[in-house]
């Protein structure tokens, strides 16, 4: 077993840059919500009412928002093929190019809704694939002492992308003509090119190199990531440990998708856990606030510009992800998820019930709101913002951390692809159906999220083991051990266990007998 690996500044900077892939998704998710209420955008891609006023119907909003999510679902699965054939680094290069092309198609459209939708779908292919490759790459390169924190940075980048998109739209929404939406949308090409160009200077994953019989290159990458010479004993220890794990994983021959659900090493359990956490993350209710928060807060009588409301949400989300980088290692994965589900469920039921019984019907002028309406609106807004904060601290990053550190090299690309695809499938379902559901039941849609959060609490308690501080190989051992999830926080791999008193006595007695024999 390799000794503890020192934290290399080079490895940290590499992981932070790679997590920029999350920024791409976050920025797009934020920027499209603001475009939906821009007059020029509605004029070009919406329909016209009888009085000549342009508007976007709930159906058209669903199409525009959800087409990116449809692309992300396919992209998340497709990257499983490119991650092995092109390598982690080459795959990120390829999909960054796809994303940038999709943004260019969107930015170049004038009046064609079809062109806009095609561009969003193509950009979604890039975003979805990157969402799977980034945790895969970071999980294989980050030092295990800070692997959780590094993977949290992926979520931080998503939130930063959302927040910056809100700031840009706050500054451009008053511009005349298409510049109001074309500038914030077109900036995504800059973000894609930054990631695309930076990848030329970053190394391939050492696990992938070893898996393809490129040992010398793997040694050079390990040495670089740990700031030691290639001939340092630490490099030899790490490479030998990885090589032994790869040999064990490859004993079974070729890898098919069904192996992700095989009983060997509890793979079915690990894959289901990864998919369930991604499913439940989407049903927390967070993205509902992001996609349709402006309309929701107008119902609450906020009396603020939708762009100001978006900026507030973005700032709260950023504030929530800062403590997440500490709590992911201090609390661990299980407690972060349990605490997050508990506190968010409390906020969701308050928003649902107070909103249902106190808010005025949608479209009521501010001047006609009663004191009861305004008080209820204040409560709804406050608890919605608190829920957004707790999400950013817990359920926002933790499922991605868990997904990035739960699978052996043999099936990692495919298992992570299944988890990411689950996330994007339910992101699509949420963005497509939320406007329709909200139109019928209003704030009671939060009761749906409340029920999912309650289920999430019990699912985590009974099914999700603690993986904090373990190497990827030790996570494999954890699942093979059969330890119950609620007892897993005290579990240690064989190499770190302290012998029990009886075993120590037996060892001494055996040594004494051997000495007597001599």
């Amino acid at each position: 077993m390799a000794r503890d690996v020192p934290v290399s500044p080079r490895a940290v900077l590499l992981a932070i840059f790679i997590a920029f892939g999350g920024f791409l998704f976050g920025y797009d998710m934020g920027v499209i919500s603001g475009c939906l209420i821009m007059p020029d955008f509605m004029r070009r891609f919406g329909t016209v009412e009888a009085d000549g006023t342009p508007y976007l119907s709930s159906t058209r909003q669903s199409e525009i928002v959800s087409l990116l999510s449809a692309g992300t679902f396919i992209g998340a699965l497709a990257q499983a093929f490119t991650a092995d054939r092109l390598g982690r680094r080459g795959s990120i290069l390829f999909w960054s190019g796809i994303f940038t092309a999709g943004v260019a198609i969107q930015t170049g459209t004038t009046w064609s809704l079809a062109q806009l939708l095609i561009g969003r779908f193509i950009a979604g292919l890039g975003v979805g694939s990157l969402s799977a490759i980034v945790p895969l790459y970071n999980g294989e390169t980050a030092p295990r002492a800070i692997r959780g924190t590094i993977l949290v940075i992926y979520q931080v980048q998503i939130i930063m992308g959302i927040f910056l998109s809100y700031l840009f739209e706050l500054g451009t929404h008053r511009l005349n003509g298409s510049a109001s939406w074309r500038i914030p949308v077109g900036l995504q090409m800059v973000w894609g090119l930054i990631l695309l160009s930076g990848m030329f200077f970053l190394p391939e994953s050492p696990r992938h190199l070893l898996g393809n019989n490129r040992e010398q290159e793997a040694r050079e990458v390990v040495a670089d990531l740990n700031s030691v010479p290639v001939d340092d004993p630490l490099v030899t220890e790490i490479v030998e440990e990885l090589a032994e794990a790869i040999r064990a994983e490859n004993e079974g021959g070729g890898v098919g998708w069904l192996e992700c659900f095989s009983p060997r090493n509890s793979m079915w359990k690990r894959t289901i856990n990864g998919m369930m956490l991604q499913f439940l993350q989407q049903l927390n209710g967070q993205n509902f606030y992001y996609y349709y928060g402006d309309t929701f807060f107008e119902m609450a009588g906020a009396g603020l510009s939708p762009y100001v409301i978006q900026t507030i949400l973005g700032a709260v989300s950023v504030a929530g992800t800062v403590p997440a980088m500490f709590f992911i290692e201090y609390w661990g994965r299980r407690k972060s998820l349990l605490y997050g589900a508990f506190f968010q469920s409390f906020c969701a039921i308050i928003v649902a019930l107070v909103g249902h019984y106190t808010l005025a019907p949608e479209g009521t002028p501010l001047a006609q709101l009663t004191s009861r309406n305004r008080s209820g609106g204040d409560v709804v807004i406050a608890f919605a913002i608190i829920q957004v904060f707790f999400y950013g601290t817990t359920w926002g990053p933790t499922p991605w951390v868990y997904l990035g550190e739960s699978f052996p090299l043999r099936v990692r690309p495919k298992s992570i692809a299944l988890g990411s695809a689950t996330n994007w499938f339910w992101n699509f379902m949420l963005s497509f159906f939320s406007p329709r559901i909200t139109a019928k039941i209003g704030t009671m849609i939060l009761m749906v999220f409340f029920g999912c959060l309650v289920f999430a609490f019990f699912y985590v308690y009974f099914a999700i083991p603690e993986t904090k501080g373990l190497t990827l190989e030790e996570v494999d051992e954890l699942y093979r051990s059969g330890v119950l999830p609620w007892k897993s926080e005290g579990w240690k791999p064989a190499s770190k266990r302290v012998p029990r008193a009886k075993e120590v006595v037996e060892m001494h007695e055996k040594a004494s007998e051997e000495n007597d024999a001599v």
Side-chain angles (χ1 to χ4, degrees), residues 283-504:
L283 272 296
N284 272 212
Q286 171 81 353
N287 286 346
F288 167 76
Y289 290 125
Y290 282 147
Y291 284 134
Y292 307 107
D294 52 351
T295 303
F296 181 78
F297 282 110
E298 284 179 356
M299 290 171 57
L304 298 174
S305 161
Y307 298 98
V308 174
I309 293 171
Q310 286 180 333
T311 305
I312 292 172
L313 279 175
V316 170
S317 297
V318 171
T321 57
V322 173
M325 290 186 282
F326 168 75
F327 288 126
I328 195 69
E329 298 297 350
Y330 180 75
W331 283 342
R333 286 48 161 165
R334 273 177 58 84
K335 287 182 179 177
S336 291
L337 294 170
L338 290 170
Y339 293 160
F342 176 80
F343 287 114
Q344 283 192 87
S345 65
F346 178 76
C347 293
I349 196 170
I350 293 295
V351 172
L353 296 179
V354 172
H356 180 71
Y357 289 108
T358 66
L359 296 187
E362 183 179 358
T364 303
L366 289 175
Q368 296 180 17
L369 296 179
T370 66
S371 59
R372 175 184 173 84
N373 296 149
R374 293 182 181 277
S375 297
D378 291 340
V379 172
V380 165
I381 293 170
F383 278 91
I385 289 175
I386 293 171
Q387 183 178 347
V388 167
F389 178 84
F390 278 122
Y391 174 90
T393 304
T394 57
W395 274 86
T398 308
W400 291 110
V401 173
Y402 193 86
L403 193 65
E405 64 185 12
S406 293
F407 307 105
L409 179 66
R410 178 177 172 80
V411 296
R412 277 174 65 77
K414 288 183 171 61
S415 293
I416 290 180
L418 289 169
S420 298
T422 301
N423 183 289
W424 297 122
F425 174 77
W426 287 100
N427 184 287
F428 167 79
M429 297 292 284
L430 178 69
S431 61
F432 190 81
F433 289 106
S434 285
R436 295 165 169 77
I437 297 173
T438 305
K440 294 183 179 296
I441 63 175
T443 60
M444 289 299 282
I445 190 174
L446 268 298
M447 288 299 293
V448 176
F449 302 133
F450 166 76
C452 291
L453 285 162
V454 171
F455 173 78
F457 180 91
F458 288 103
Y459 184 86
V460 170
Y461 184 84
F462 289 108
I464 303 298
E466 181 57 70
T467 55
K468 181 183 72 171
L470 303 178
T471 67
L472 299 181
E473 291 71 36
E474 288 168 350
V475 170
D476 208 39
E477 184 183 343
L478 167 68
Y479 272 95
R480 289 199 308 268
S481 71
V483 65
L484 296 173
W486 54 92
K487 295 182 178 180
S488 61
E489 290 185 40
W491 181 88
K492 293 183 182 299
S495 60
K496 296 180 181 178
R497 292 174 195 159
V498 178
R500 291 176 296 180
K502 181 179 178 181
E503 293 172 343
V504 172

Side-chain angles (χ1 to χ4, degrees), residues 16 53 120 126 153 158 165 171 187 190 293 436 453 456 460 487 506 510:
I16 291 173
T53 303
R120 285 188 58 74
I153 292 175
I158 292 176
S165 73
L187 277 171
V190 177
R436 295 165 169 77
L453 285 162
V460 170
K487 295 182 178 180
E506 290 176 349
K510 183 177 180 180

Side-chain angles (χ1 to χ4, degrees), residues 208-219:
H208 176 76
L209 292 173
L210 280 173
N212 286 273
N213 301 314
R214 296 158 65 183
E215 182 177 336
Q216 183 56 35
E217 293 177 66
R219 286 180 175 275

